[in-house]
Amino acid sequence: MISITVEARKIPFGDTEIKVRGKKYTLHKFQEVFYSDLSNLSTVTLVIAPTGAGKTFAFTLPILYAKNHSYIPPRGLVIAPTNALVEDMYNSFKEIAKVEKITGSSLQKHGIERPKELLDRVKSANIVVTNPDIVNFVIHGGYHIEESGKRRHILNFQDWTEFFGKIDYIIFDEYHLYDEEQIANILIWLMASYRFFPSIKWFFISATPEPTLIKLLDDQEIDYEIVRQELAESGRVIQGKQKIHFIEASQSYSLYKWIFNDGEIRSDVKDKISEAIKSGKKVFLLFNSLREAKIAENKMRNLFCKAKIGVNTGFETRQKNFNFNPEEYDIIITTSKAEVGVNYPVQLAYIDSGRYLRNFLQRIGRIGRGEEESEIYCITPVAVVERIKKLVKNANINYYEFIDVLNQSFEDIKLKEERIPVFMGALLWSIYNALKYRDRRRVIDELIEKFPYSKILFKLDKVIKEAKEEMDEEFYENLKIFWNTFKRSFMRFRDDTIQWKIFYKNQETEYDIIWVLNNAFIEEINRDEKRIIISDFRPKKEKIVKGIVTCSLLEDLYADNNLQQIGGIKSEQIAEWRSFLYSDYIGNIYTTKLERWLSELEVPKKLEDLLKKLSPLYSKRRIEISDVLYDSGEIKDVYII
């Protein structure tokens, strides 16, 4: 173990003072960028500011600037990575401006009335806060497609240009969380909408910026500037002094295993937590594993009966009437969900370091606030701790020195940059097709030349239509089902999941049933109502789910409705399922199944060649889950839920 004390972080004030609801605020440098005439800014502004700097407050400043200078207020679109963060921002914004929150659950209407409601809400607000899933669904034409697959006419909302035409500035908060395909998607949104609305200003906000995004902006010759909020010796304290204990652990070790050795809590940890609670300090536990967080919750409730324990993980997010205020609890239990959103006013913390540098920086950035000092015990890979020991000569260092040590000690995410232009071409093809009129499509014709992968999909779409005359009718219908499923996959910003109602300890929530089956003891499964009752969480993860059923692949010519399977109980199927679970790129699964299909069926050569070229696109985002294969453990057969 090595212990380091990091000095408090302060950010200096700028020269601008404003009044909001009768209260005076002196803005910081990065906030002054938002409190300005947007027309003077570059197309893209990358804002790098530490957690706790006041980024959320800054998002409303373009509106306040306009009001204070007698301009027509601009309309902002703020895109947050989680619905919990959407909710937090909505509550912050509504005191300052007319705000609308748009999520899947907040939209009340259905059918053709749903997109009308969405656009009406956008038009009624000064600032709209939503998640990327909604914007993605809009730009890929999801609101204009009926269940039959036919495109429908919506008065005054012909396609995605109507949506972007209502927006003056767009903010991506915590954009570092997005992967290659998601970054590609965002860049295509930007580049395509710019051809129609060049006055829209785009902001990308993070405490841990993604260098690949900067390179891509350079490559595409997009006008941008970087605004970095520096720290200083004086100014507002955004985070107090932190004493961090790095505890080395093997790759399979975790915070849970360190705290609960053989199921019993370490005596030193128990004493430390008890002492903290008695002295009025708040305690924070952050686990990599949701399953371990839930097991720890039960243990902590039994150990500290009088303490108020709050749990804020993805499992609780969709719980009915769930409202989490960290101020109300003595002990807070969470997961990686804590990396975005709320800052936690805690003085004693036990955390898993996370896999990458940005995970760790986001986690410690949420702990403590203002001038509060905090002590953090961090379970960290052995190799990282060894590197820290070699680099740290003085146990007391400033934040800049600390960051330098971390940069040399932790690994960070390295996006596969070469995959992004391929995704951009495919995504461009999808949003091009989502435009209603040919004259609108001509506006982005030049982008087709910049991202030639799109041409493969244009050709494939045409060849599949022509193949009807050359293929058996039944097999052609299966090909069409596959192709329509593939096209629908672009409407998802994230991987597909099956969300069912989960009942646990008299609480109802919604969660991914694949995770629940593998991590919880199941009391009852109700297929008709799509709900599961669980009794508790497994002491270790089990491989109950053996595979999934999907229409996203071509393999068995005689499968009903072209339903294919990834995984199963045979050895080669088990290996396939592992590959699907633990790999972001699953083009090999697609290729293997496609080759089996092609070996049993004669198709036009140009169709065969084009289908093979889809392989680079196959991440789990392409897979639409129709059903789940699982083994209850009571009998050896695999059942379909």
Side-chain angles (χ1 to χ4, degrees):
M1 183 174 81
I2 181 172
S3 301
I4 302 173
T5 299
V6 184
E7 293 176 4
R9 286 191 278 169
K10 301 174 185 177
I11 56 174
F13 292 104
D15 301 320
T16 305
E17 186 176 85
I18 64 170
K19 188 178 285 188
V20 182
R21 301 189 305 277
K23 186 177 179 181
K24 289 182 179 179
Y25 292 87
T26 303
L27 301 181
H28 300 294
K29 174 187 170 183
F30 83 95
Q31 292 173 328
E32 290 177 334
V33 174
F34 289 90
Y35 190 74
S36 66
D37 184 343
L38 292 179
S39 65
N40 295 327
L41 298 181
S42 301
T43 300
V44 175
T45 303
L46 295 155
V47 177
I48 303 168
T51 55
K55 296 192 289 291
T56 302
F57 172 60
F59 300 164
T60 60
L61 291 177
I63 297 165
L64 292 174
Y65 179 86
K67 288 180 178 178
N68 291 341
H69 291 79
S70 302
Y71 298 161
I72 297 173
R75 181 179 291 121
L77 175 69
V78 180
I79 301 172
T82 66
N83 281 341
L85 193 50
V86 168
E87 189 69 37
D88 289 341
M89 287 184 177
Y90 171 75
N91 291 328
S92 298
F93 296 159
K94 66 185 180 183
E95 299 297 323
I96 300 172
K98 176 71 171 68
V99 60
E100 282 287 352
K101 170 181 63 177
I102 300 178
T103 63
S105 59
S106 73
L107 292 171
Q108 300 299 311
K109 296 182 180 178
H110 300 280
I112 200 167
E113 296 302 316
R114 193 173 180 87
K116 291 179 185 177
E117 178 193 5
L118 181 144
L119 204 59
D120 286 343
R121 287 200 183 190
V122 170
K123 290 189 290 186
S124 71
N126 296 129
I127 190 164
V128 178
V129 57
T130 187
N131 56 51
D133 308 273
I134 293 288
V135 182
N136 189 75
F137 202 67
V138 169
I139 201 166
H140 289 284
Y143 288 108
H144 294 82
I145 303 293
E146 297 176 342
E147 285 188 22
S148 65
K150 292 182 179 178
R151 190 169 296 277
R152 62 187 175 193
H153 174 78
I154 302 173
L155 188 64
N156 299 324
F157 190 5
Q158 302 296 326
D159 55 42
W160 55 264
T161 58
E162 311 287 350
F163 176 86
F164 279 88
K166 307 294 183 289
I167 304 299
D168 298 296
Y169 68 96
I170 298 174
I171 293 171
F172 285 91
D173 192 29
E174 309 289 4
Y175 73 89
H176 64 274
L177 294 174
Y178 301 133
D179 63 20
E180 291 94 342
E181 184 168 356
Q182 291 163 343
I183 289 286
N185 222 329
I186 291 165
L187 285 169
I188 286 295
W189 301 352
L190 192 166
M191 295 175 72
S193 64
Y194 179 80
R195 266 65 184 175
F196 294 93
F197 312 107
S199 63
I200 296 178
K201 303 302 179 183
W202 298 69
F203 297 86
F204 292 86
I205 321 294
S206 178
T208 51
E210 173 49 63
T212 300
L213 176 63
I214 298 171
K215 184 178 184 306
L216 288 164
L217 293 173
D218 278 326
D219 291 346
Q220 301 305 324
E221 299 179 342
I222 296 171
D223 176 34
Y224 74 92
E225 65 175 319
I226 299 173
V227 176
R228 187 184 299 271
Q229 178 60 65
E230 302 291 352
L231 301 177
E233 294 296 321
S234 62
R236 180 168 68 92
V237 179
I238 60 170
Q239 193 163 41
K241 184 185 292 185
Q242 291 182 321
K243 186 173 184 178
I244 305 173
H245 308 283
F246 291 97
I247 302 163
E248 53 264 74
S250 66
Q251 201 168 14
S252 60
Y253 214 59
S254 66
L255 173 65
Y256 176 83
K257 291 174 184 174
W258 181 77
I259 291 180
F260 298 102
N261 192 11
D262 293 328
E264 298 295 324
I265 192 169
R266 292 171 60 106
S267 59
D268 56 337
V269 172
K270 183 179 180 181
D271 292 344
K272 188 103 179 174
I273 292 175
S274 297
E275 183 183 333
I277 293 171
K278 283 179 185 176
S279 60
K281 294 180 180 178
K282 294 184 181 296
V283 181
F284 182 75
L285 302 172
L286 190 159
F287 299 90
N288 281 338
S289 162
L290 172 57
R291 179 181 53 81
E292 289 183 344
K294 298 303 292 181
I295 296 171
E297 175 194 349
N298 292 335
K299 289 182 178 291
M300 297 300 281
R301 290 193 189 281
N302 290 331
L303 287 163
F304 302 96
C305 304
K306 295 182 180 179
K308 294 179 181 177
I309 297 176
V311 183
N312 186 18
T313 73
F315 192 77
E316 286 78 27
T317 300
R318 297 192 179 188
Q319 206 171 82
K320 287 188 175 179
N321 303 317
F322 178 70
N323 184 26
F324 184 83
N325 180 359
E327 298 278 4
E328 297 176 358
Y329 303 106
D330 304 311
I331 299 173
I332 297 166
I333 298 172
T334 187
T335 57
S336 59
K337 181 186 175 184
E339 290 179 22
V340 296
V342 180
N343 294 327
Y344 292 87
V346 297
Q347 294 80 42
L348 175 62
Y350 296 89
I351 69 172
D352 276 312
S353 67
R355 187 174 178 185
Y356 297 109
L357 171 61
R358 66 188 60 188
N359 300 123
F360 176 72
L361 286 174
Q362 291 287 339
R363 290 175 186 194
I364 65 166
R366 301 289 168 191
I367 297 169
R369 67 180 185 188
E371 298 184 13
E372 292 173 343
E373 295 185 8
S374 56
E375 186 172 14
I376 303 169
Y377 290 83
C378 181
I379 304 302
T380 314
V382 173
V384 174
V385 178
E386 291 303 314
R387 286 193 282 268
I388 292 172
K389 286 179 178 178
K390 290 177 182 177
L391 293 166
V392 174
K393 307 302 179 188
N394 187 340
N396 293 280
I397 59 179
N398 65 38
Y399 186 73
Y400 295 112
E401 293 169 329
F402 183 54
I403 292 298
D404 185 52
V405 168
L406 297 179
N407 279 325
Q408 297 180 65
S409 303
F410 276 89
E411 292 183 17
D412 207 359
I413 296 172
K414 292 181 177 62
L415 295 182
K416 295 179 178 66
E417 195 179 310
E418 69 282 359
R419 295 182 65 190
I420 294 177
V422 172
F423 285 131
M424 289 177 77
L427 294 156
L428 176 62
W429 167 78
S430 178
I431 69 165
Y432 184 95
N433 288 327
L435 288 168
K436 182 173 178 61
Y437 299 111
R438 176 62 191 143
D439 60 337
R440 292 186 182 181
R441 293 180 178 183
R442 285 196 191 100
V443 175
I444 59 174
D445 272 347
E446 62 169 302
L447 289 177
I448 303 298
E449 299 304 319
K450 293 189 76 169
F451 300 102
Y453 192 89
S454 59
K455 295 181 180 180
I456 293 172
L457 298 180
F458 281 113
K459 287 178 187 175
L460 183 53
D461 198 33
K462 182 181 178 183
V463 168
I464 286 175
K465 289 172 184 173
E466 293 171 348
K468 184 175 184 179
E469 304 302 320
E470 303 179 57
M471 288 181 65
D472 175 89
E473 185 177 351
E474 181 184 353
F475 297 154
Y476 179 72
E477 286 303 311
N478 282 347
L479 176 65
K480 273 207 321 184
I481 291 169
F482 157 78
W483 185 233
N484 288 332
T485 304
F486 178 86
K487 288 192 285 189
R488 274 200 309 271
S489 70
F490 288 96
M491 295 175 196
R492 289 194 302 274
F493 190 75
R494 308 172 210 255
D495 301 341
D496 192 25
T497 59
I498 299 180
Q499 300 281 325
W500 275 23
K501 293 177 184 177
I502 312 297
F503 292 85
Y504 174 59
K505 290 187 174 179
N506 299 318
Q507 290 285 350
E508 177 186 337
T509 187
E510 287 184 19
Y511 210 70
D512 176 12
I513 64 164
I514 291 179
W515 186 91
V516 171
L517 289 169
N518 283 336
N519 289 277
F521 292 113
I522 311 300
E523 282 191 354
E524 180 186 320
I525 295 177
N526 187 316
R527 295 167 174 79
D528 296 329
E529 297 180 13
K530 298 190 183 311
R531 64 178 172 86
I532 296 178
I533 299 174
I534 63 176
S535 58
D536 213 337
F537 292 89
R538 296 177 181 274
K540 67 177 184 177
K541 186 175 181 177
E542 301 287 347
K543 293 182 176 62
I544 303 301
V545 175
K546 303 297 183 183
I548 58 169
V549 177
T550 179
C551 289
S552 309
L553 301 163
L554 290 164
E555 181 188 10
D556 184 354
L557 296 177
Y558 303 99
D560 291 340
N561 298 318
N562 195 40
L563 292 173
Q564 307 303 332
Q565 181 178 315
I566 296 177
I569 56 176
K570 296 177 183 177
S571 58
E572 68 273 15
Q573 292 174 325
I574 291 170
E576 184 178 83
W577 180 235
R578 286 199 191 108
S579 176
F580 178 79
L581 285 180
Y582 302 116
S583 174
D584 292 326
Y585 169 65
I586 55 170
N588 56 332
I589 293 176
Y590 168 77
T591 299
T592 300
K593 292 184 178 296
L594 176 63
E595 285 175 351
R596 288 178 191 159
W597 187 76
L598 292 170
S599 68
E600 297 180 26
L601 180 68
E602 285 191 21
V603 301
K605 183 68 168 63
K606 55 185 176 181
L607 174 60
E608 177 180 333
D609 292 342
L610 288 167
L611 286 171
K612 287 179 178 177
K613 289 179 180 178
L614 292 183
S615 176
L617 289 183
Y618 261 80
S619 67
K620 278 175 275 197
R621 202 142 312 138
R622 294 286 82 79
I623 302 295
E624 184 177 282
I625 301 171
S626 304
D627 223 326
V628 174
L629 304 166
Y630 84 105
D631 182 349
S632 67
E634 297 168 2
I635 47 180
K636 297 197 182 290
D637 288 15
V638 175
Y639 288 88
I640 296 177
I641 292 181

